[in-house]
């Protein structure tokens, strides 16, 4: 009978090999994202997996491009679903905090410090599981959906800067962010979905492109704002057919992997912030809906 027990040295070597493999896969994945035909696929994936880091979204996408909803073995079990026999897990990076003691000059006792490493973890897509059906989690904001007007109103009311619908705007534009005077202008009388898209795009500019980012080219600022809007719109089912990123490969060809990853992280964090804000607006709207319906019946 073969003995599969690993020595401490063998176990350490295997874990180091896994670490190098997943980092190499992530680096290759970052480069691949910026080819023109894969950029939108990454943004769509991030809209679905925005609770995961940009790096883990790339790892999920490279290993299972058709993934729709992923979770750990334990999470699926908690939701009364089990992994189909023979299905292989999708490797992701899991943060792994640790503590260590150091000698600090001038102090007798050792001081405890904390650090952050990582280990390889595994998740599974819903297509790799069987069991209890899951509820639909995303509210779609289509043109005739009851929530889209309320979400727009909430975004305007809770915005950190003024949003105007009465400022002069060029015919070719639907809106703009004014850096010097710090306000957003949106063209009036647009459709609800176009107002939503324009608002998210300009809010992304306002959050990402202050005076400390004037070193960024106009092109790079537009890529970031357009990407954030694409992620958020895709998350809520708002039509994204007019978004085009065919130029992204040329923009990224002279950038190194760290710079490209940093750009994706910036886009992801901004999209997360706006998605959280919209989700809160939807929760508030759902809570207030019975009262609004009662008031409408009394009229």
């Amino acid at each position: 009978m073969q003995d599969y027990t690993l020595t401490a040295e063998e176990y350490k070597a295997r874990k180091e090999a896994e670490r190098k493999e997943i980092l190499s896969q992530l680096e290759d994945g970052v480069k691949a994202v910026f080819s023109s035909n894969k950029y939108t696929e990454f943004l769509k994936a991030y809209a679905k997996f925005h609770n995961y880091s940009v790096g883990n979204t790339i790892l999920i996408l490279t290993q299972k491009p058709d993934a729709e909803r992923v979770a750990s073995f334990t999470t699926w079990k908690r939701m009364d679903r089990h992994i189909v026999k023979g299905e292989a897990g999708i490797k992701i990076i899991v943060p792994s905090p640790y503590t260590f003691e150091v000698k600090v000059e001038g102090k007798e006792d050792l001081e405890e410090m904390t650090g952050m490493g990582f280990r390889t973890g595994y998740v599974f897509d819903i297509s790799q599981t069987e069991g209890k059906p899951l509820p639909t989690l995303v509210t779609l904001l289509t043109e005739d959906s009851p929530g889209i007007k309320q979400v727009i109103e909430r975004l305007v009311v809770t915005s950190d800067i003024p949003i105007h619908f009465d400022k002069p705007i060029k015919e070719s534009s639907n809106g703009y962010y004014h850096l010097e005077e710090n306000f957003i202008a949106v063209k009036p009388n647009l459709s609800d979905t176009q107002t939503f898209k324009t608002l998210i795009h300009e809010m992304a500019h306002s959050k990402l492109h202050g005076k400390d980012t004037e070193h960024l080219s106009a092109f790079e600022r537009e890529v970031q704002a357009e990407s954030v809007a694409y992620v958020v719109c895709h998350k809520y089912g708002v039509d994204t057919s007019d978004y085009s990123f065919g130029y992204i490969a040329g923009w990224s060809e002279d950038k190194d992997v760290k710079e490209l990853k940093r750009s994706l992280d910036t886009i992801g964090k901004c999209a997360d912030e706006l998605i959280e804000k919209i989700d809160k607006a939807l929760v508030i709207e759902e809570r207030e809906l019975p009262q609004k319906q009662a008031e409408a019946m009394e009229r």
Side-chain angles (χ1 to χ4, degrees), residues 26-287:
L26 177 56
E27 184 170 321
D28 291 343
V30 170
K31 292 176 184 175
V33 159
F34 286 93
S35 62
S36 60
N37 64 325
K38 288 193 176 180
Y39 190 67
T40 53
E41 294 307 310
F42 163 75
L43 295 178
K44 288 176 184 177
Y46 193 77
K48 288 183 277 190
F49 309 130
H50 79 97
N51 290 326
Y52 289 83
S53 68
V54 162
N56 279 336
T57 299
I58 291 172
L59 289 171
I60 293 166
L61 184 60
T62 56
Q63 294 169 79
K64 191 166 180 59
D66 60 345
E68 287 294 324
R69 184 174 178 185
V70 300
S72 67
F73 176 90
T74 305
T75 300
W76 284 126
K77 186 177 179 181
R78 193 164 60 242
M79 292 190 284
D80 292 328
R81 295 185 70 86
H82 64 270
I83 311 303
V84 175
K85 187 176 180 180
E87 289 288 347
I90 303 165
K91 291 180 183 179
I92 62 169
I93 294 171
V94 180
S96 182
Y98 59 91
T99 60
F100 59 97
E101 293 182 331
V102 296
K103 176 66 177 175
V104 178
E105 189 176 350
K107 293 185 178 181
E108 291 186 10
D109 296 331
L110 294 175
E111 189 164 321
E112 189 174 90
M113 306 288 285
T114 59
M116 183 64 73
F118 75 85
R119 59 181 175 82
T120 302
Y122 295 88
V123 293
F124 297 84
D125 182 53
I126 188 170
S127 64
Q128 299 174 288
T129 70
E130 294 176 334
K132 185 178 178 181
L134 299 178
T136 301
L137 299 179
V138 176
T139 300
L140 300 181
L141 300 177
T142 55
E143 188 64 40
D144 57 354
S145 64
I148 192 165
K149 281 186 171 64
Q150 285 77 14
V151 167
I152 291 169
E153 289 171 5
R154 297 280 182 187
L155 289 175
V156 172
V157 169
T158 59
S159 174
D160 297 329
I161 65 173
I163 297 173
H164 300 288
F165 291 86
D166 57 357
K167 296 284 186 183
I169 297 177
K170 294 178 182 178
E171 188 63 33
S172 60
S173 176
N174 288 325
Y176 61 87
Y177 165 56
H178 198 296
L179 175 60
E180 296 300 325
E181 297 184 25
N182 198 33
F183 69 80
I184 290 170
V186 178
K187 186 179 287 184
N189 303 319
L190 297 173
S191 68
D192 289 336
T193 53
Q194 188 60 61
T195 297
F196 179 82
K197 287 195 285 187
T198 302
L199 193 54
I200 296 300
H201 181 102
E202 302 307 335
M203 290 180 85
H205 274 307
S206 72
K207 292 179 180 299
L208 296 178
H209 304 139
K211 292 183 178 179
D212 59 335
T213 60
E214 290 181 328
H215 62 285
L216 298 178
S217 67
F219 183 82
E220 190 166 357
R221 288 197 291 270
E222 206 55 33
V223 166
Q224 290 181 345
E226 195 81 340
S227 299
V228 170
Y230 189 97
V231 170
V232 176
C233 287
H234 195 79
K235 164 80 173 175
Y236 298 102
V238 175
D239 178 31
T240 55
S241 58
D242 59 344
Y243 286 78
S244 173
F245 294 98
Y247 48 75
I248 201 73
W251 170 77
S252 64
E253 62 186 6
D254 62 339
K255 308 289 193 300
D256 63 29
V257 172
K258 286 185 179 179
E259 189 176 355
L260 294 175
K261 174 69 163 47
R262 192 160 51 243
S263 181
L264 294 179
D265 285 337
T266 297
I267 290 163
K269 287 174 184 174
C270 186
D272 288 349
E273 184 179 342
L274 290 170
I275 287 170
E276 183 178 348
K277 187 183 280 279
I278 293 165
D279 281 348
K280 284 181 180 177
L282 289 168
V283 168
I284 292 170
E285 176 60 24
E286 188 175 318
R287 192 184 303 140

Side-chain angles (χ1 to χ4, degrees), residues 4-35:
Y4 289 99
T5 304
L6 296 176
T7 66
E9 290 76 15
E10 288 171 334
Y11 178 80
K12 185 177 179 181
R14 188 176 73 175
K15 288 299 179 184
E16 179 62 18
E18 285 182 357
R19 190 183 80 87
K20 288 181 178 179
E21 179 192 6
I22 201 165
L23 286 177
S24 176
Q25 190 172 0
L26 177 56
E27 184 170 321
D28 291 343
V30 170
K31 292 176 184 175
V33 159
F34 286 93
S35 62

